[in-house]
Amino acid sequence: MHTFTVDAPDVSRAWLEACARLSQVPGKKAFHTVVRIADPLKEDAHLRAELDRVRAARSKDPLYSIDTVVNTLFPVALAATCSTHEELTDRYRAFYPRLQEVRRNTHGTYFGRLVAHPGTPEKPEPVDQLARVIRRLAKLRTSSKWSAVYEAGTAQVTDDDRWENGPQESEAVIRAAAVDTQTLDFPCLSHCSFQLDGATNTVHLAAYYRSHYMFARAYGNYLALGHLCAWVARHAGLTPGTLTVMAGCARLDCTQLELDAVQNTVTTPLFRLGA
């Protein structure tokens, strides 16, 4: 089994090194990969611009811009105009049905699953999982007893908030078993886990993808998860920390020429690719 671990200071370096590792693997596919980013909101502007250009230049299969990929997971522009998490949730939910009319959003969006996860027949109201994560983090941030009870992905979303003395880790479920019956496609992101470092009042985010397409999605996903962590941290009165992204199966879905074009924008040897 081919696998790798990448540690990088920003999104651009992390993405490029992960792609370089995959380009050296037979079939350009690896399992149980780990990409850890110290500052998931920092990127190289030149690399980002070239990546968007190469993505759009595909004559047969042009890809969405990085910003479009980001907004599927976290609506950056909308969030910038909202002063509270409740305001963001209310406004997003108001036009969420219109988003779902777009073919690629038939099953919903990642952010929609985070703030309006489908309920159950017993509790049909959509669940705002991020609000739960923020409440738990804010409530327990002064405690050093718990550090890992803030997740999103495998918990029962209809559970209530009886966590007065519970652990410091919170979940947000992406997959909805009743509606996600398709084998492929949405959702590839299945789990988000927020860890509280009480010693520094920092919250770190770990995300798990069952399948990750590195050229089509990963760069925008990394940025979006960085924005998600920063949003949760801000509204819980904490500082955003590192991002760790694990992929059950990571695929390099581009040609070597496309990857070389992006790599060549890095004019100085910032790191050892594929080392």
Side-chain angles (χ1 to χ4, degrees):
M1 180 180 81
H2 295 282
T3 189
F4 59 80
T5 297
V6 168
D7 282 278
D10 57 54
V11 168
S12 299
R13 304 184 202 198
W15 177 84
L16 194 53
E17 182 164 354
C19 289
R21 297 284 187 93
L22 280 168
S23 71
Q24 299 168 6
V25 173
K28 299 182 179 181
K29 180 172 68 174
F31 297 93
H32 297 180
T33 62
V34 178
V35 176
R36 188 174 297 106
I37 307 171
D39 186 349
L41 290 180
K42 184 179 179 182
E43 57 180 326
D44 182 291
H46 296 293
L47 185 148
R48 163 71 179 273
E50 181 64 7
L51 177 57
D52 261 329
R53 186 197 68 79
V54 173
R55 289 164 60 90
R58 286 187 168 183
S59 57
K60 292 184 178 180
D61 186 25
L63 297 170
Y64 294 111
S65 69
I66 297 297
D67 281 338
T68 299
V69 177
V70 170
N71 280 287
T72 301
L73 208 163
F74 189 84
V76 177
L78 180 62
T81 66
C82 297
S83 58
T84 66
H85 177 70
E86 291 72 22
E87 181 184 2
L88 174 60
T89 299
D90 289 344
R91 291 175 63 183
Y92 192 87
R93 283 184 175 185
F95 64 77
Y96 191 38
R98 292 173 55 191
L99 286 176
Q100 291 180 284
E101 292 176 1
V102 179
R103 184 178 178 183
R104 64 186 175 89
N105 296 332
T106 301
H107 299 286
T109 66
Y110 289 118
F111 193 71
R113 291 294 177 88
L114 290 171
V115 300
H117 194 280
T120 66
E122 296 76 21
K123 296 182 179 181
E125 286 298 314
V127 179
D128 183 355
Q129 301 183 82
L130 283 189
R132 175 183 297 165
V133 169
I134 291 168
R135 284 196 300 270
R136 291 175 179 170
L137 284 167
K139 183 183 297 183
L140 300 174
R141 69 187 179 197
T142 58
S143 167
S144 61
K145 183 177 180 181
W146 309 107
S147 62
V149 292
Y150 316 100
E151 303 190 32
T154 59
Q156 174 52 260
V157 296
T158 54
D159 289 345
D160 57 28
D161 279 316
R162 291 172 289 185
W163 288 72
E164 294 295 333
N165 298 304
Q168 289 173 329
E169 173 183 318
S170 210
E171 284 192 321
V173 181
I174 306 300
R175 185 174 183 275
V179 296
D180 295 329
T181 56
Q182 66 275 18
T183 303
L184 302 175
D185 202 28
F186 184 89
C188 287
L189 171 63
S190 59
H191 187 87
C192 290
S193 177
F194 298 83
Q195 274 71 44
L196 171 62
D197 183 351
T200 59
N201 275 340
T202 301
V203 60
H204 305 288
L205 173 58
Y208 179 78
Y209 283 82
R210 60 185 175 89
S211 180
H212 217 181
Y213 290 92
M214 296 302 298
F215 195 78
R217 297 289 181 182
Y219 194 100
N221 292 159
Y222 294 165
L223 278 177
L225 289 165
H227 282 289
L228 176 64
C229 185
W231 178 264
V232 168
R234 170 189 167 190
H235 292 279
L238 299 165
T239 300
T242 62
L243 168 67
T244 302
V245 179
M246 295 154 281
C249 180
R251 296 176 172 86
L252 184 60
D253 49 324
C254 68
T255 67
Q256 189 61 47
L257 286 176
E258 289 174 322
L259 182 59
D260 287 345
V262 179
Q263 185 173 326
N264 288 339
T265 64
V266 181
T267 57
T268 58
L270 300 177
F271 50 91
R272 293 164 54 206
L273 287 175

